[in-house]
Amino acid sequence: MKNYSYERVVTGILAVLMLIALIIVGGVEVQRRAGRVPEPYISAESLPCYECHTERGLSKISVIGWKKSKHGEKGVGCNECHLPAKEAGEEILTEKTECEDKKVRRSVSFHTCKRCHKKQFEEFEKGLHSSGMKNLELAVRTIGIEKDISSCSSCHSIGSEKNACSSCHIPHLYSTSSARKPETCARCHDGKEKAVYSYFLSSSHGTIFKVKGETWNWELKIEDWKPSLSLPASLIPDSPVCGTCHMIDGSHTVGLHKELSFKVLRMAKKGIYPLKELEREMTSEYAEEILNKRKEELKKVCIRCHTRNFFELKIKELERNIDYADTYLLNALPSLKGIYDTELIPFPQKNKNLLLYQHSYDFLTHFGKGSIY
Amino acid sequence: MKINIEFLNEELPETLKDFFYALGGTPFFLFFLQVFTGIFLLIYYIPSYESAYESVYRITYTIPMGWWIRGLHRYGATLFIFCLFLHMIRVFVTNAYSSPRELTWVAGGILLILSLGAGFTGYSLINDQLSYWATKVGTEIAGSVPLIGHWLSVLIKGGERISQFTVSRLFTLHIFIIPLLLAVFIAAHLLLVRKYGVSFEAERKYPLIPEHLYLEINIFIFLLTFITLISAIFPPELGERANPLRTPSHIKPEWYFYPLYLFLKLVPLKIGIMVPILFIFIFLLYPFIEKSCERLAGRGGVLLLRTAGVLLYLYFVLAIIRESIY
């Protein structure tokens, strides 16, 4: 009897080819899944909102954004956020609504976000961002700004209950990947007042970001920005951005520098105090201790990519430059004070000392002659 | 207990091992692939004018492996029709339709027309721009048929314009009526093949089991691999959502309608409709017509008919190439 070995071999070869084809199908599926738009889950409670807004074309962009969001995918719908939390502030609770359902509020309190994002909220509360509004109010009180401050709140409102989360996370889309991009920070940290973003762009790190940032996979958490076998090298970000140093391990404290700014600490280290109260609280040794602690924090981030020697070299250069700048500033202060005294510059006259020391750079650019305000 | 089924002990002519003579088996397998993948697509497809596009979008871009199943169905359909054409050409050039196998040819011809119908109704269900406008053109062509045109157009569309009723009707045709008719005519075709035999008899025979079974399994794996690879390299895409207010600059049907499409562009509409209808009748009844022609005009008449057939085939090929390029 014929043993059909030829047929068996052909069948075997074809089966192997089929297996290869199926592996290719698997590969294509994985690739497509990476770029797949998640399917929103619309709960029964949110369905009436969704239907009404879709039929009438109300807040179209919000609905589209939500459909693409993680919230949409996980079934966190309209009512979960737009029915205010019981801890929500008076401003939100008494807000007028155009919705047929009078319980609905347009603004969302950070207490609502806290219900699911407790860790991020607690970190945020500890950070300087949460003081945005308080600082603005303090500035108004201590310096006596007479100008309309509503334009100031476009940035300072990051510290408000309504805008805390949405200042960095685009409302409805609430995308972490877009919040990671330096452009998000540039919304407030750039321009004449504080050209931090522009400084970053002109640095080596910023240049890499400019040249390669478009191809990076921003979905990756910053702590995962390291070589990986599962992603092509072109997709992995290979330069730090704002969050790399200011949001270590994704911390929403954003720097932990709520208590005192870097500038004040530098001055205190030299024994110069803009406010008498600070002199009692902050000795120059203590200021140095905090500065060293922060340097160690920074070192941990830098040595992820650079050697320790390189870090030490660069940090010394940086300290030297800052020292120069501080020396020149200190030398310039008496002259600057004289200019203020002449009132040639339309500048608030209250608490000038604090102004000169703590906010010399910032306030000059914020309110000095030539400012966009 | 040994089950002895006579059919399984049969021996087949050696010529069946030649792919040229076994082209009928390929679409037979592909028919089952279409049914199988069609059932999977049915799980997610929503036959609604409003939601059809979204559901196909979901199948293509969201459902895991949805693109693969849709690719198998889409490319399977194309290959199905391509193999039917090849099979028909082989039957034509080898004179396999001659007596007593005329009815086998007729059943095969009906299968080809039904398959084209399945293709048309299939891509009409997607409801993207191509699909919508192809349906519109298709139903307008049907509407231009003399005497019954308007009635036929309304019957397909379920009204004067393309609406939910059109989608429902095309859906019913695509998933129920046409597959059922295909199954009936496949059965009839096979029974006729068994009754009247094949045109190529060979002295050497080989067993159905296991040798022919091996061959069939190999063809099955090969086709599945081939369509899978095509689907993975060119995953099926979806055009823009249907917009009745914006006519696309190019409305093109699937490649197998190119000869008809080009013909309609070249001649006045009435001729463009009457000639293909006449052609379908001639095509289906060709074995009988050829026999009558032989009786009336001898071998010369038959030669003339076959030359016309070859020229028509050349027109088909050139039309497909031309429309694919331009």
Side-chain angles (χ1 to χ4, degrees):
Chain A
M1 194 187 160
K2 198 179 168 188
N3 67 3
Y4 299 108
S5 57
Y6 168 74
E7 282 81 359
R8 283 178 193 178
V9 168
V10 173
T11 309
I13 292 170
L14 284 168
V16 170
L17 282 177
M18 182 70 212
L19 196 68
I20 294 169
L22 287 177
I23 291 168
I24 293 172
V25 165
V28 174
E29 171 65 17
V30 169
Q31 252 187 351
R32 287 170 78 95
R33 205 173 278 190
R36 193 166 281 162
V37 178
E39 189 76 349
Y41 171 77
I42 305 167
S43 64
E45 292 82 10
S46 294
L47 193 61
C49 320
Y50 179 79
E51 283 179 344
C52 184
H53 277 258
T54 310
E55 276 168 27
R56 296 193 198 173
L58 302 167
S59 325
K60 266 188 205 165
I61 295 296
S62 308
V63 177
I64 293 170
W66 175 80
K67 278 172 88 173
K68 288 182 189 166
S69 71
K70 272 259 158 57
H71 280 166
E73 191 187 343
K74 307 259 177 203
V76 178
C78 317
N79 62 321
E80 273 85 0
C81 298
H82 288 285
L83 293 180
K86 60 178 189 300
E87 309 95 314
E90 201 61 22
E91 198 189 348
I92 290 174
L93 292 173
T94 55
E95 193 179 80
K96 281 188 181 163
T97 179
E98 288 171 33
C99 183
E100 282 171 14
D101 182 348
K102 295 298 169 201
K103 293 198 291 292
V104 166
R105 294 289 175 271
R106 187 175 163 278
S107 303
V108 178
S109 160
F110 55 29
H111 291 292
T112 306
C113 311
K114 187 177 110 183
R115 290 194 295 216
C116 300
H117 305 283
K118 195 166 176 248
K119 179 177 168 276
Q120 285 81 356
F121 177 79
E122 284 170 355
E123 288 167 352
F124 167 80
E125 267 206 316
K126 283 185 210 158
L128 194 59
H129 274 161
S130 68
S131 308
M133 279 311 270
K134 278 179 222 151
N135 282 355
L136 179 63
E137 284 156 16
L138 189 73
V140 171
R141 272 205 316 276
T142 52
I143 306 157
I145 303 163
E146 287 159 13
K147 289 181 184 177
D148 175 19
I149 58 158
S150 58
S151 57
C152 314
S153 58
S154 66
C155 285
H156 282 271
S157 67
I158 192 167
S160 76
E161 185 184 348
K162 284 200 291 193
N163 298 312
C165 308
S166 60
S167 287
C168 303
H169 298 277
I170 301 164
H172 294 104
L173 192 63
Y174 286 108
S175 146
T176 41
S177 59
S178 57
R180 260 173 218 130
K181 294 184 179 174
E183 288 91 336
T184 304
C185 312
R187 182 189 160 185
C188 294
H189 299 282
D190 196 25
K192 273 188 171 180
E193 305 75 40
K194 277 194 168 188
V196 183
Y197 174 68
S198 305
Y199 298 154
F200 164 72
L201 286 186
S202 58
S203 69
S204 307
H205 290 152
T207 306
I208 298 171
F209 159 73
K210 270 191 292 187
V211 174
K212 297 164 84 178
E214 263 181 37
T215 62
W216 289 352
N217 179 6
W218 291 92
E219 294 292 334
L220 280 179
K221 287 181 178 175
I222 288 181
E223 51 266 40
D224 296 332
W225 289 15
K226 50 196 163 199
S228 137
L229 286 176
S230 61
L231 275 176
S234 62
L235 287 178
I236 302 165
D238 50 0
S239 167
V241 289
C242 316
T244 318
C245 302
H246 294 283
M247 293 183 75
I248 298 168
D249 296 331
S251 164
H252 280 58
T253 312
V254 192
L256 246 177
H257 304 329
K258 187 176 180 178
E259 303 83 7
L260 283 170
S261 78
F262 191 49
K263 276 190 285 286
V264 172
L265 286 168
R266 279 186 343 245
M267 296 292 178
K269 191 180 155 191
K270 289 175 197 271
I272 302 162
Y273 300 97
L275 287 177
K276 286 261 177 277
E277 296 90 323
L278 275 178
E279 201 172 344
R280 287 195 297 274
E281 289 169 17
M282 173 99 39
T283 59
S284 93
E285 291 77 28
Y286 184 56
E288 193 172 358
E289 193 188 319
I290 300 179
L291 282 170
N292 283 338
K293 205 175 129 195
R294 288 186 189 174
K295 196 167 104 178
E296 284 306 309
E297 275 173 25
L298 188 65
K299 189 177 177 178
K300 276 184 205 159
V301 179
C302 300
I303 60 167
R304 282 185 194 173
C305 304
H306 299 288
T307 59
R308 281 183 170 78
N309 283 346
F310 183 82
F311 171 79
E312 294 299 341
L313 190 77
K314 285 289 162 188
I315 203 77
K316 266 183 197 140
E317 267 178 31
L318 184 70
E319 280 169 348
R320 210 167 40 237
N321 287 344
I322 291 171
D323 250 8
Y324 268 132
D326 285 346
T327 313
Y328 282 116
L329 181 73
L330 288 171
N331 289 339
L333 279 177
S335 320
L336 208 55
K337 194 169 180 295
I339 295 171
Y340 286 167
D341 290 339
T342 61
E343 296 183 19
L344 283 172
I345 295 176
F347 205 85
Q349 293 296 306
K350 218 168 143 187
N351 284 326
K352 267 187 292 190
N353 219 22
L354 178 75
L355 270 177
L356 282 171
Y357 286 92
Q358 190 175 2
H359 296 113
S360 46
Y361 293 118
D362 304 348
F363 273 84
L364 269 175
T365 47
H366 259 72
F367 302 105
K369 206 169 183 184
S371 154
I372 52 164
Y373 295 101
Chain B
M1 189 178 74
K2 197 180 173 189
I3 300 170
N4 195 4
I5 303 170
E6 199 186 328
F7 166 71
L8 296 177
N9 297 331
E10 222 171 85
E11 293 208 316
L12 301 165
E14 191 92 300
T15 32
L16 262 185
K17 282 185 180 176
D18 188 341
F19 196 64
F20 184 65
Y21 289 100
L23 280 163
T26 310
F28 182 64
F29 154 69
L30 287 170
F31 172 74
F32 288 102
L33 181 73
Q34 290 305 97
V35 172
F36 190 69
T37 51
I39 289 170
F40 273 96
L41 292 175
L42 261 181
I43 295 171
Y44 289 106
Y45 179 75
I46 303 169
S48 135
Y49 184 70
E50 294 299 324
S51 313
Y53 182 83
E54 263 86 13
S55 63
V56 180
Y57 187 92
R58 199 177 301 139
I59 290 168
T60 315
Y61 299 108
T62 313
I63 310 291
M65 301 284 185
W67 60 272
W68 181 44
I69 299 290
R70 196 178 149 220
L72 289 180
H73 198 72
R74 190 203 143 95
Y75 294 117
T78 299
L79 199 62
F80 181 66
I81 290 170
F82 182 68
C83 291
L84 282 184
F85 272 122
L86 289 184
H87 180 49
M88 194 197 74
I89 291 162
R90 199 280 299 164
V91 170
F92 185 79
V93 298
T94 56
N95 197 15
Y97 51 84
S98 57
S99 184
R101 290 175 293 273
E102 296 96 331
L103 282 179
T104 318
W105 168 275
V106 174
I110 292 171
L111 280 174
L112 178 64
I113 292 164
L114 283 171
S115 307
L116 293 175
F120 174 75
T121 51
Y123 71 74
S124 294
L125 291 176
I126 293 169
N127 219 15
D128 63 358
Q129 274 288 71
L130 166 84
S131 154
Y132 177 87
W133 289 96
T135 314
K136 197 165 172 64
V137 173
T139 49
E140 268 167 25
I141 291 171
S144 306
V145 174
L147 302 173
I148 56 161
H150 181 69
W151 174 82
L152 195 63
S153 164
V154 170
L155 180 76
I156 300 170
K157 286 195 278 193
E160 294 295 338
R161 59 181 193 88
I162 294 172
S163 65
Q164 173 59 52
F165 297 115
T166 323
V167 176
S168 299
R169 277 157 202 237
L170 293 175
F171 180 68
T172 315
L173 276 170
H174 187 75
I175 69 137
F176 183 67
I177 298 173
I178 294 177
L180 187 71
L181 287 173
L182 275 171
V184 168
F185 278 94
I186 287 171
H189 194 68
L190 287 176
L191 284 174
L192 286 165
V193 168
R194 288 195 58 77
K195 185 166 164 58
Y196 297 114
V198 286
S199 61
F200 45 88
E201 288 301 337
E203 278 186 17
R204 291 185 63 185
K205 305 265 183 187
Y206 73 103
L208 178 70
I209 292 174
E211 197 162 349
H212 191 67
L213 188 68
Y214 267 127
L215 191 68
E216 289 295 328
I217 289 171
N218 288 351
I219 291 172
F220 166 81
I221 304 174
F222 171 76
L223 286 172
L224 201 59
T225 310
F226 179 68
I227 308 172
T228 296
L229 282 176
I230 294 282
S231 306
I233 297 165
F234 307 106
E237 296 295 337
L238 192 61
E240 263 179 68
R241 174 196 278 280
N243 183 352
L245 301 174
R246 197 168 57 79
T247 320
S249 48
H250 294 288
I251 313 166
K252 267 192 180 179
E254 284 288 325
W255 64 271
Y256 36 83
F257 288 119
Y258 282 170
L260 176 64
Y261 175 70
L262 181 65
F263 189 64
L264 279 164
K265 282 204 288 193
L266 294 174
V267 298
L269 187 64
K270 290 276 175 216
I271 297 174
I273 288 168
M274 288 311 295
V275 171
I277 292 174
L278 192 69
F279 168 74
I280 289 171
F281 280 108
I282 296 173
F283 163 67
L284 286 178
L285 302 173
Y286 184 77
F288 302 106
I289 291 170
E290 196 187 86
K291 209 192 284 177
S292 309
C293 189
E294 194 174 8
R295 260 204 306 273
L296 291 171
R299 290 300 297 168
V302 174
L303 201 65
L304 201 69
L305 265 181
R306 292 201 183 167
T307 311
V310 172
L311 288 176
L312 197 69
Y313 167 72
L314 284 176
Y315 164 75
F316 265 62
V317 174
L318 289 174
I320 290 168
I321 294 171
R322 185 192 181 280
E323 291 304 318
S324 303
I325 296 170
Y326 298 109

